[in-house]
């Protein structure tokens, strides 16, 4: 049996951290639209996308890192639970990656004038998507549980490192339109006034918690599926 | 450990030499690919096209040459290796052999490519560095991917799906380095790229060394 989150204190039928996730995301959605933002050339009001695009990506990276940690745990302990958490982590991270991609494309359209450019950072993202889609294909191609766990954990660790090289190291070496790369200042360089930080950090926590919530549900679905399967075999 | 690596390396070499059809097949693969490109492009004058075409040919050639290294091994024989050698020695021997094989194929491919399609390279020394780094990196990455893919059922198609995205950061950097060499830019421009390539090779080597024993158990 897989057990996750069943011990946390519940408020009105929901675990306390799920309420925090809802509250923080609602807060970032409303406050992100209402509060004052710095007036900058080209960006203008689109700077509000910082609250959505960047935070979704931060959430995705945090979840991918968690998935990596669970893959390492799986390799050292060989338990089923960490394997399932790692794989569902990748699924949820892919979903959040698509969200971040869509919001990023909208932003690019309004500031760079096009939805997609051959920018180093954007290519890195496309490559990351391919790697993690390959991960899901790899999992699907194996039936035996033990082997699937080990092989996909190995690929997950390898993929994570290459992904990091691609989006952290390479864009800094070339010209890039993306903030924080190719000699451009990151958004920390523009004075994010305290208003923006007030929304930015809570939004990251909110999206990450939402991702954890998704993983939680999917892991429980998997465990129910497996229980039914083992019952039907008896 | 080193003795094991050496024995296994020689074993790979002998096996390959004894049934040469695989080796000949790879050479023919490279030759016919270049010939197809020659017929379809005739004469490539643009440096970016020349450069990208060469490395794409090499990408597929390496997939063919190195991809089969684990996939061709039969279950029973693998079991035998497991009982006599350490996993790390087995992996290192495979990697060393594949790197050497790819190095030879890459240089041959460059020769044929330059002969038919034309040689645009201005800084030959730097281009050689790119060839050596490229063939080594490709074979190291593909050796681990081949080990992973051999654990699945339809392994050859999965091999491409798994390895292309993982190879991308390496490939892009390599294409940049090689373009600098073709353009004959000053060597100091390329040092950063060489460092990144070497760094990726070291990372891949270290990761494979750590992770391979987990693939080994079955």
């Amino acid at each position: 049996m897989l057990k996750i989150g069943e011990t946390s204190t519940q408020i009105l039928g929901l675990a306390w951290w799920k309420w925090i996730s809802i509250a923080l995301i609602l807060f970032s959605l409303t406050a992100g639209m209402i509060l004052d933002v710095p007036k900058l050339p080209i960006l203008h009001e689109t700077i509000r996308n910082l609250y959505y695009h960047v935070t979704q990506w931060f959430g995705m990276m945090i979840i991918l890192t968690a998935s990596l940690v669970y893959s390492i745990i799986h390799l050292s302990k060989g338990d089923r639970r960490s394997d399932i958490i790692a794989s569902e982590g990748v699924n949820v991270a892919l979903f959040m990656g698509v969200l971040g991609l869509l919001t990023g494309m909208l932003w690019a359209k309004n500031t760079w004038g096009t939805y997609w450019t051959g920018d180093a950072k954007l290519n890195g993202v496309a490559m990351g998507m391919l790697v993690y889609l390959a991960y899901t294909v790899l999992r699907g191609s194996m039936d035996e549980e033990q082997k699937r766990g080990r092989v996909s954990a190995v690929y997950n660790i390898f993929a994570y490192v290459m992904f990091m090289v691609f989006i952290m190291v390479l864009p800094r070496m070339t010209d890039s339109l993306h903030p924080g790369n190719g000699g451009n200042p990151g958004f920390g360089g523009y004075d994010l006034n305290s208003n923006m930080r007030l929304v930015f950090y809570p939004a990251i926590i909110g999206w990450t918690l939402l991702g954890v919530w998704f993983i939680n549900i999917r892991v429980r679905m998997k465990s129910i599926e497996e229980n039914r399967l083992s019952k039907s075999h008896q | 450990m080193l003795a094991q690596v050496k024995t296994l390396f020689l074993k790979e070499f002998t096996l390959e030499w004894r049934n040469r059809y695989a080796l000949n097949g790879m050479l023919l693969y490279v030759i016919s690919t270049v010939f197809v490109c020659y017929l379809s492009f005739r004469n490539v004058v643009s440096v970016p096209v020349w450069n990208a075409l060469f490395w794409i040919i090499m990408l597929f050639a390496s997939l063919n040459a190195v991809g089969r290294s684990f996939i061709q091994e039969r279950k029973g024989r693998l079991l035998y290796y497991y009982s006599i050698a350490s996993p790390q020695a087995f992996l290192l021997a495979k990697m060393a052999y594949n790197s050497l094989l790819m190095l030879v194929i890459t240089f041959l491919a460059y020769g044929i490519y330059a002969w038919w399609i034309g040689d645009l390279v201005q800084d030959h020394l730097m281009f050689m560095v790119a060839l050596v780094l490229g063939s080594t990196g490709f074979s190291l990455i593909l050796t681990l991917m081949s080990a992973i893919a051999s654990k699945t059922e339809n392994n050859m198609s999965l091999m491409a799906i798994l390895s292309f995205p993982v190879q991308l950061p390496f490939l892009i950097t390599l294409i940049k380095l090689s373009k600098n060499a073709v353009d004959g830019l000053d060597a100091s421009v390329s040092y950063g790229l060489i460092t990144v390539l070497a760094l990726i090779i070291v990372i891949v080597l270290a990761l494979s060394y750590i992770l391979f024993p987990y693939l080994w158990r079955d």
Side-chain angles (χ1 to χ4, degrees):
Chain A
M1 267 295 282
L2 299 154
K3 280 185 187 159
I4 283 190
E6 283 166 26
T7 45
S8 51
T9 329
Q10 302 218 330
I11 303 162
L12 296 176
L14 270 187
W16 59 272
W17 54 271
K18 294 178 183 169
W19 284 112
I20 291 183
S21 163
I22 295 174
L24 288 181
I25 288 178
L26 284 180
F27 167 73
S28 74
L29 287 178
T30 48
M33 287 298 170
I34 296 167
L35 287 182
D36 265 352
V37 290
K39 305 272 179 291
L40 296 172
I42 304 177
L43 283 170
H44 303 297
E45 291 291 322
T46 67
I47 199 171
R48 293 181 193 279
N49 206 351
L50 185 79
Y51 301 138
Y52 314 118
H53 168 67
V54 183
T55 55
Q56 281 156 1
W57 271 83
F58 270 47
M60 183 198 74
M61 299 298 280
I62 293 170
I63 289 171
L64 280 182
T65 311
S67 166
L68 170 85
V69 170
Y70 274 101
S71 277
I72 296 172
I73 294 176
H74 177 71
L75 281 186
S76 60
K77 276 178 32 186
D79 60 331
R80 211 171 73 209
R81 179 172 171 267
S82 53
D83 176 43
I84 293 178
I85 296 177
S87 83
E88 294 306 336
V90 168
N91 284 337
V92 171
L94 269 172
F95 172 69
M96 295 184 66
V98 170
L99 286 186
L101 202 64
L102 291 177
T103 48
M105 280 165 76
L106 278 181
W107 204 356
K109 177 69 183 164
N110 286 298
T111 50
W112 302 340
T114 169
Y115 287 111
W116 190 270
T117 65
D119 199 76
K121 195 88 168 183
L122 278 69
N123 288 338
V125 170
M127 171 259 174
M129 292 275 162
L130 284 180
V131 166
Y132 284 106
L133 285 174
Y135 172 86
T136 59
V137 173
L138 178 68
R139 278 191 78 83
S141 72
M142 285 175 286
D143 291 329
E144 195 199 322
E145 208 173 85
Q146 293 269 323
K147 189 164 87 174
R148 182 176 61 202
R150 249 180 305 117
V151 173
S152 52
V154 167
Y155 188 72
N156 192 14
I157 295 170
F158 196 79
Y160 182 86
V161 173
M162 292 312 254
F163 185 43
M164 281 301 133
V165 170
F166 208 131
I167 63 168
M168 296 300 194
V169 181
L170 295 191
R172 284 181 171 70
M173 300 204 46
T174 48
D175 302 328
S176 174
L177 293 166
H178 199 279
N181 301 113
N184 295 338
F187 270 97
Y190 306 133
D191 46 297
L192 285 190
N193 54 24
S194 47
N195 262 350
M196 290 201 77
R197 290 181 199 281
L198 190 69
V199 183
F200 183 67
Y201 295 120
I204 294 175
I205 299 170
W207 285 110
T208 311
L209 284 178
L210 188 73
V212 175
W213 190 352
F214 285 168
I215 294 173
N216 196 319
I217 292 172
R218 293 199 49 114
V219 169
R220 272 153 57 192
M221 276 163 60
K222 271 272 148 60
S223 104
I224 291 171
E225 240 169 59
E226 276 176 13
N227 285 341
R228 286 179 70 182
L229 220 65
S230 60
K231 260 180 204 151
S232 66
H233 278 302
Q234 278 163 7
Chain B
M1 175 79 182
L2 262 178
Q4 281 184 357
V5 174
K6 198 176 148 222
T7 319
L8 286 166
F9 176 79
L10 287 176
K11 170 233 115 196
E12 289 278 328
F13 190 77
T14 326
L15 267 187
E16 193 80 83
W17 194 248
R18 279 201 193 139
N19 73 56
R20 255 161 300 189
Y21 77 92
L23 202 64
N24 292 337
M26 267 177 287
L27 291 182
L28 198 59
Y29 179 87
V30 173
I31 292 173
S32 44
T33 316
V34 175
F35 192 61
V36 167
C37 292
Y38 165 65
L39 286 184
S40 20
F41 283 89
R42 284 291 162 189
N43 197 355
V44 180
V45 271
S46 138
V47 169
V49 175
W50 187 92
N51 191 31
L53 190 64
F54 177 72
W55 286 111
I56 288 170
I57 292 174
M58 285 329 297
L59 184 69
F60 280 90
S62 65
L63 189 73
N64 264 298
V66 182
R68 53 185 193 99
S69 79
F70 274 89
I71 293 167
Q72 68 176 1
E73 301 278 5
R74 261 180 249 109
K75 267 250 153 72
R77 216 198 285 164
L78 276 180
L79 210 63
Y80 175 60
Y81 296 140
Y82 296 171
S83 61
I84 56 166
S86 82
Q88 280 93 351
F90 189 67
L91 179 80
L92 288 182
K94 281 261 184 213
M95 283 183 158
Y97 175 72
N98 286 335
S99 306
L100 193 71
L101 180 73
M102 268 313 292
L103 193 68
V104 174
I105 293 180
T106 309
F107 272 88
L108 272 175
Y110 170 56
I112 302 167
Y113 191 75
W115 181 34
W116 270 336
I117 300 191
D119 191 3
L120 302 183
V121 181
Q122 297 186 28
D123 185 349
H124 276 94
L125 185 68
M126 192 51 89
F127 195 72
M128 294 299 147
V129 173
L131 289 183
V132 172
L133 284 173
S135 59
T136 318
F138 279 168
S139 35
L140 295 192
I141 295 175
L142 284 171
T143 308
L144 187 70
M145 290 300 127
S146 167
I148 290 178
S150 69
K151 296 284 170 193
T152 64
E153 271 92 48
N154 55 350
N155 29 44
M156 221 34 203
S157 62
L158 207 64
M159 183 73 208
I161 301 173
L162 292 182
S163 52
F164 279 172
V166 176
Q167 268 179 316
L168 261 177
F170 190 79
L171 181 73
I172 301 286
T173 320
L174 186 62
I175 285 183
K176 268 186 209 140
L177 171 66
S178 132
K179 184 164 176 300
N180 285 355
V182 176
D183 282 335
L185 297 187
D186 191 62
S188 60
V189 185
S190 309
Y191 290 152
L193 295 172
I194 294 177
T195 318
V196 171
L197 288 176
L199 196 74
I200 295 179
I201 288 178
V202 171
I203 291 174
V204 170
L205 205 58
L207 273 181
S208 310
Y209 192 84
I210 299 168
L211 294 177
F212 184 68
Y214 294 103
L215 289 174
W216 180 258
R217 285 188 234 149
D218 224 347

